[in-house]
Amino acid sequence: MKSRSVIGLAALAAGLALAQASALAASAEKGKAAFVQHGCWQCHGYEGQGGVTGPRLAPNPIPFDTLSNFVRTTSRQMPPFRKEILSDEDLADIYAYLQSIPKGPDPNSIPLLNP
Ligand code: HEC
């Protein structure tokens, strides 16, 4: 029983390491192209800034697992993008793109906003 949970943990750790490695290999540049190609921009804006039809995705995207789960299985207004349409690689690249979008300046650091 105990050894089985140890093996389970090891498998989980290996899985996490793999997931991390593929996240590291992801390319923000390719992700930007995939974001356009798959039409995410139509609802979320080119920079994931949000638009009339879709919420903001970046900067500070939600955790990858949450995002990927949502994109694959959503059944609300947004159509689900299954693996056959949007590969895991493209999704990882899209995530890298969203992560690469710089945060705006802190409003407190803009003198005009803080007379
Ligand atoms: C037809 C418009 C449309 C397209 C195209 C679209 N989305 Fe969405 N997306 C939405 C809407 C609307 C929501 C808000 C939840 C809902 O009602 O489905 C949403 C929600 C999300 C969320 C959850 C945000 C959160 O904070 O919970 C993520 C992540 C997301 N979209 C990613 C994507 C990605 C990646 C693509 C391209 C592969 C994409 N979307 C394409 C309309 C769209």
Side-chain angles (χ1 to χ4, degrees):
M1 204 52 200
K2 198 168 179 202
S3 67
R4 189 186 279 177
S5 65
V6 168
I7 292 173
L9 270 181
L12 184 69
L16 282 177
L18 271 178
Q20 212 151 39
S22 70
L24 284 179
S27 145
E29 206 174 309
K30 280 199 269 169
K32 186 174 188 175
F35 196 79
V36 172
Q37 187 203 330
H38 289 282
C40 313
W41 64 273
Q42 292 174 352
C43 299
H44 294 286
Y46 276 107
E47 310 254 273
Q49 77 273 28
V52 183
T53 40
R56 183 182 67 79
L57 302 179
N60 289 328
I62 56 178
F64 179 73
D65 285 348
T66 318
L67 178 135
S68 121
N69 204 30
F70 179 89
V71 168
R72 297 275 184 234
T73 61
T74 178
S75 59
R76 291 182 291 173
Q77 272 172 278
M78 178 175 143
F81 289 76
R82 307 209 190 281
K83 260 188 203 161
E84 300 78 55
I85 300 171
L86 174 66
S87 70
D88 282 340
E89 203 192 336
D90 280 359
L91 191 55
D93 289 344
I94 285 177
Y95 193 69
Y97 170 57
L98 294 175
Q99 276 184 314
S100 77
I101 291 167
K103 299 177 189 70
D106 175 356
N108 293 326
S109 72
I110 302 173
L112 214 58
L113 298 178
N114 298 280

